[in-house]
Amino acid sequence: MNQPVSHEHKHAHDHAHSCCGAKAAPALVQLTEKASGKAQLSRFRIQAMDCPTEQTLIQDKLGKLAGIEQLEFNLINRVLGVHHTFAGTLEIERAIESLGMKAEPLAAEGEDKAAEPSKTRWWPLALSGLAAVAAEVVHFSVLAPEWLVAALALAAILGCGLGTYKKGWIALKNRNLNINALMSIAVTGAVLIGQWPEAAMVMVLFTLAELIEARSLDRARNAIGGLMQLTPDMATVQQADGQWQDVEVRDVAIGARVRVRPGERIGLDGEVVSGQSSVDQAPITGESLPVEKAVGDKLFAGTINQAGALEYRVTAGAGQSTLARIIKAVEEAQGARAPTQRFVDTFSRIYTPVVFALALAVAIIPPLFMAGAWFDWIYRALVLLVVACPCALVISTPVTIVSGLAAAARKGILIKGGVYLEGGRKLDYLALDKTGTITHGKPVQTDATVLEPLFEGRAQALAASLAARSDHPVSGAIAQFAKAQNLPLSEVSAFAALAGRGVRGDIDGETYHLGNHRLVEELGLCSPELEAQLDMLERQGKTVVLLLDRSGPLALFAVADTVKDSSRQAIAELHALGIKTVMLTGDNPHTAEAIAAQVGIDRAEGNLLPADKLATIEQLYAQGHRVGMVGDGINDAPALARAEIGFAMAAAGTDTAIETADVALMDDDLRKIPAFVRLSRQSAAILTQNIVLALGIKALFLAITFAGMATLWMAVFADMGVSLLVVFNGLRLLRK
């Protein structure tokens, strides 16, 4: 069997809690150089597997079994996937059981719902605490025998510390200096040198801090698990005989017809086939206001139907819904470790063995070579062991990253990794596509000017009658405007499309044209006055078409792709954050400049092909900028890929956007980008605070330990106290 070969993978799920000194192994671990193609996947729930300490132990143990090719770790849900070539799973379960953990086989992929919260009984800890306090009191009593102090201390240690000793022994057997190993050594050493009350109090304080820390970390885990609870377990599905029946969501087939009543959560992605209602899409897109839904509109699993009953056709199974893909992406995002997290992991792997070696030196060298008292220096070494654990440092980064990713997901911002969450604060330039990003992407009629007074009141209806026969977007905008005004359309005969110029048709025996500037020129019906009007509108970024008869122009209509209300505010917020903006579009420069001026973008470039957009990004990099790119179309793909962070707009329901973007904005609100930058800056600030706090207090206690002023219980307070502080600090990102 080859030695385990691990590599960091895009789909990692690193999550840490009290795992000092543990190797933060990646979520996907390849144990063989080449896959056999015959491996089957077995999945297990392991409740005790919730940090890289257990992950490393499992990886080392299963890596010795022949026939196991690959391991997949999902620490958020405490699920292990094993790719193996042998039949059955008994050998795997026994190997994991030898590590003090229980592996429960999972039958189906859909079973990896949120893991159960940490469970610890309070009463053994309470009794142990009383015994530890009694040992301290008896110790200070002159008349009490020493054996009574020892008995009370042993009762306290055994009452709450057996689990720590068991984990510590397993860690030491696997040459892993985690917090359980260090604490076991420290308490045992204190007992051996006769410090009974202190040994008991140290174990009680450590167990209490571990319990509080585990409960705190459950909150970070539940931030992800809460997303999984958004979909109902049952859906009302129409059967073959036309009857409606409640069916488990995971058993509903694609194409099934589902009914959802007012107030109910929608169970699956689908398309409305009957009814009209408003739907609260905040769990998916972060939109604060309900969205109106009618026949043909998309519905997302986990959203809430509010007003009327709806019937919809299922378009994706339970495991492939937009919400399921969001959850999967957030879980996988934790594996793309941020630079700070990589630094911390590397630092802790070096730091812990070095300080452990230093503690041995402190215990041995002064008594042997400097005439120091063995008792004093061994005691200082034990304190040093407790202080040495980089628990607060290791835990600070993943808790902050998980909290940031979950907070973003709640706002409809899907971040594909800690590296992007941390990198967002560095952006100083943002490139934006125009159509569908800054604008709605749907042209609407903005102007109508009647040039011939006799046609006042008739020109719009005549133009719409011709436009309704065309499938061009500009014609569609004119027809839609007339429809909104309830204008009657006339019958058109002898209709003809004039490629690149417009359309022609007869209405009530009269021939009319509806076309662009070029068509007017060809018909010889242009004038200097008309040229001036057309030029003015075109400089505003509008497309102009004219209604003409044989005598000349009767009316002109301007159509434009309108700017989203949110775009102006988003650009203003980006500028307030110190980020410059550039618009990249394939539209003509006049239109580009007009739209840029409307929203306040710094500069605009038009007539760009996809390669030109990429070249602009490269040019900004060459000037020393950190560039992000926002787009929603395939033509933006090269620039999105090259940018430091690529933002995909309106990703809800779009598989490719969720899978390929660095950051997916689940609706089309550009204001989510400054929100992302602010979150990134806040996350970076908290990471820095946590690292400075952890290292600062470590340095302080190392100094007072060498000075002989620190005690074991003070060291526990320092270590676990800082761990709790950094956890609570990281969880601040989850506040609304």
Side-chain angles (χ1 to χ4, degrees), residues 424-671:
R425 68 185 175 89
K426 301 174 184 177
L427 296 180
D428 68 344
Y429 227 111
L430 189 70
L432 305 99
D433 176 44
K434 180 184 76 71
T435 307
T437 300
I438 297 170
T439 64
H440 288 97
K442 296 178 180 178
V444 296
Q445 181 178 313
T446 58
D447 298 83
T449 303
V450 177
L451 304 174
E452 175 55 59
L454 290 176
F455 283 83
E456 190 74 48
R458 293 180 54 211
Q460 182 76 57
L462 288 171
S465 300
L466 291 168
R469 299 288 300 272
S470 170
D471 58 1
H472 193 280
V474 172
S475 296
I478 294 172
Q480 186 63 37
F481 185 88
K483 182 179 179 182
Q485 300 294 319
N486 293 317
L487 297 179
L489 300 186
S490 303
E491 187 72 28
V492 179
S493 59
F495 179 84
L498 309 174
R501 291 164 294 171
V503 297
R504 181 186 66 229
D506 292 348
I507 301 175
D508 297 330
E510 183 69 37
T511 300
Y512 295 95
H513 288 81
L514 182 68
N516 56 21
H517 190 175
R518 180 181 170 189
L519 178 62
V520 181
E521 293 280 4
E522 286 184 4
L523 295 174
L525 298 174
C526 207
S527 67
E529 295 79 9
L530 185 60
E531 288 274 7
Q533 283 184 285
L534 296 178
D535 184 64
M536 181 185 69
L537 290 168
E538 286 171 354
R539 285 189 177 278
Q540 296 173 18
K542 299 175 180 177
T543 300
V544 184
V545 293
L546 296 102
L547 177 68
L548 310 103
D549 65 6
R550 290 185 178 88
S551 62
L554 307 176
L556 63 80
F557 304 91
V559 171
D561 184 4
T562 54
V563 170
K564 298 174 186 175
D565 293 335
S566 59
S567 296
R568 296 181 183 88
Q569 184 182 342
I571 300 302
E573 290 182 22
L574 287 168
H575 288 162
L577 292 168
I579 298 174
K580 293 184 177 180
T581 51
V582 57
M583 187 172 71
L584 309 178
T585 178
D587 277 357
N588 66 74
H590 281 319
T591 300
E593 289 170 7
I595 296 295
Q598 285 184 51
V599 297
I601 288 177
D602 295 313
R603 67 188 179 97
E605 297 189 16
N607 288 337
L608 298 184
L609 297 172
D612 299 322
K613 293 185 179 184
L614 176 60
T616 303
I617 300 292
E618 296 280 9
Q619 184 182 14
L620 289 170
Y621 273 127
Q623 295 170 0
H625 294 294
R626 309 296 289 269
V627 190
M629 171 69 190
V630 194
D632 70 337
I634 192 69
N635 62 324
D636 300 318
L640 285 168
R642 179 64 184 93
E644 193 152 331
I645 300 179
F647 299 88
M649 293 289 288
T654 307
D655 296 7
T656 52
I658 291 177
E659 290 166 5
T660 61
D662 300 326
V663 178
L665 309 180
M666 302 311 292
D667 63 3
D668 60 355
D669 192 341
L670 206 55
R671 291 172 296 185

Side-chain angles (χ1 to χ4, degrees), residues 389-431:
C389 177
C391 191
L393 190 63
V394 171
I395 200 175
S396 64
T397 47
V399 169
T400 303
I401 295 298
V402 169
S403 299
L405 295 173
R410 288 176 177 176
K411 297 175 183 176
I413 306 170
L414 184 57
I415 305 173
K416 299 299 289 293
V419 64
Y420 305 117
L421 176 62
E422 189 170 340
R425 68 185 175 89
K426 301 174 184 177
L427 296 180
D428 68 344
Y429 227 111
L430 189 70

Side-chain angles (χ1 to χ4, degrees), residues 323-342:
L323 179 62
R325 294 199 305 273
I326 291 172
I327 294 167
K328 182 180 178 183
V330 173
E331 289 179 346
E332 290 174 349
Q334 297 163 69
R337 298 209 302 276
T340 303
Q341 191 169 352
R342 290 197 295 270

Side-chain angles (χ1 to χ4, degrees), residues 125 165 204 277 375 378 403 661 668 714:
L125 178 59
Y165 269 112
V204 169
S277 181
F375 178 93
I378 289 175
S403 299
D668 60 355
M714 287 170 61

